Amino acid sequence: MSGRPTRSAGRHNALADYQTIKLEHEAAVSWIVLNRPDAANALSPQMLDEFSHALERLKTEGAPAIAIRAEGRGFCSGMDLGNYGSNDSGPPDIMSDRERLHRNVERWLAMWDHPKPVIAAVHGYCLGVAAQMCVFTDITVVADDARIGEPAVPIGGGYIAPAWVHLVGAKRAKEFAFVPGNWIDGPTAVEWGWANHCVPLDQLIPAVRGLAERIALVPSEVLRIKKLSINRAAEAGGFRQALSGIAEMDSLLHLAPAVLEVRARMKEHGLKAVIQHYKVPPTTPLTVTEER
């Protein structure tokens, strides 16, 4: 079905034609489909705005449950670095950088606070901020080809892994964050508690659809209160508080001399060459494996 908002979309009507996502409605589930396969579904400013717009619409439109999937070979490669400073000529403006980062956390919290259950259906690569994004969904189902990973270039300052702590624990979050390009596969994501289920790739969409159909048997008002109650329990354990300073810490680190030096190398030699520098194979087998 079309992802075109109706006139009732009000202040969002400037986004009348989605170009980077699609909306597809079924009886039990409305799909938000990341649709930049030629760009590895990297999160551009336009995609982020369209994603937020779709979530807002689906508060009052569509099916009882929401699911997020992606076109192409993988779910999402993270932030579109072409839009976020890998090619610019100087250091970032710390205030605008902080506002951008904080705004993205608020986008994910819109899933956490959404009146409907939100399910992530992850296949292939799920990297960087995409691995943060899925934490905020209510349920995550991964395909057996999934690779959930940290950014390959260490230019961030604890923006992604802190959101993982309430799911996987501090030690696993630290191991994940400390090694550039670290990734876990689908079965490990379930073992760690990051995902609910791992299924064969060809069963991913049917599995999520079937889960949504079972969820939709529960009245929407009941689902809403169940979600609120469980979220409050998680927040009592510090989930929302843990997110309160990550934008500030990340934006400050973006001005550190070591990070500016890496950014300069990215500009001079290109992103792929810098990524290659950080690809160091493990000397002994580990559950978490560096990016190949």
Side-chain angles (χ1 to χ4, degrees), residues 4-266:
R4 179 172 297 176
T6 64
R7 288 292 176 184
S8 63
R11 65 185 178 88
H12 296 296
N13 208 46
L15 292 173
D17 294 297
Y18 294 146
Q19 297 178 350
T20 64
I21 67 169
K22 297 186 291 185
L23 274 185
E24 297 176 357
H25 299 291
E26 300 177 8
V29 60
S30 292
W31 296 92
I32 300 176
V33 185
L34 307 183
N35 191 33
R36 294 185 73 207
D38 293 342
N41 292 318
L43 295 168
S44 65
Q46 181 181 6
M47 178 181 273
L48 288 165
D49 286 344
E50 292 183 356
F51 181 86
S52 293
H53 172 258
L55 276 178
E56 184 68 22
R57 283 185 61 195
L58 291 173
K59 286 182 177 179
T60 56
E61 299 178 24
I66 299 168
I68 304 164
R69 72 171 198 267
E71 297 286 0
R73 295 187 301 107
F75 182 75
C76 176
S77 60
M79 281 296 180
D80 187 339
L81 292 180
N83 287 285
Y84 291 109
S86 63
N87 298 317
D88 54 14
S89 57
D93 178 305
I94 189 169
M95 291 307 298
S96 62
D97 196 32
R98 184 265 175 198
E99 290 303 313
R100 172 181 66 81
L101 294 163
H102 182 68
R103 188 164 57 249
N104 289 335
V105 173
E106 290 182 327
R107 295 181 197 277
W108 310 150
L109 282 169
M111 292 186 289
W112 180 263
D113 294 327
H114 203 279
K116 298 179 180 180
V118 181
I119 307 168
V122 176
H123 79 287
Y125 45 78
C126 178
L127 306 177
V129 176
Q132 179 195 61
M133 167 189 178
C134 291
V135 169
F136 293 80
T137 62
D138 300 303
I139 298 172
T140 301
V141 182
V142 297
D144 54 8
D145 73 334
R147 291 168 56 140
I148 301 104
E150 266 281 296
V153 178
I155 58 174
Y159 185 66
I160 297 167
W164 282 48
V165 172
H166 83 290
L167 295 179
V168 308
K171 286 185 179 291
R172 282 174 168 165
K174 287 175 181 177
E175 180 183 356
F176 187 73
F178 289 173
V179 180
N182 246 353
W183 62 274
I184 57 176
D185 59 18
T188 303
V190 175
E191 178 189 346
W192 281 20
W194 187 89
N196 297 75
H197 303 283
C198 180
V199 300
L201 176 60
D202 63 356
Q203 292 299 309
L204 178 63
I205 302 309
V208 171
R209 179 180 291 118
L211 181 60
E213 288 170 350
R214 293 163 63 200
I215 289 172
L217 295 173
V218 180
S220 294
E221 294 84 352
V222 176
L223 289 172
R224 176 58 176 148
I225 297 302
K226 284 177 179 287
K227 179 170 175 173
L228 276 172
S229 181
I230 296 168
N231 281 3
R232 286 183 178 179
E235 290 169 9
F239 173 70
R240 198 178 288 259
Q241 183 181 1
L243 307 172
S244 61
I246 61 175
E248 286 82 357
M249 294 182 73
D250 205 38
S251 59
L252 283 171
L253 192 79
H254 289 169
L255 293 175
V259 171
L260 294 177
E261 189 273 333
V262 174
R263 286 161 56 92
R265 285 163 50 201
M266 291 167 65

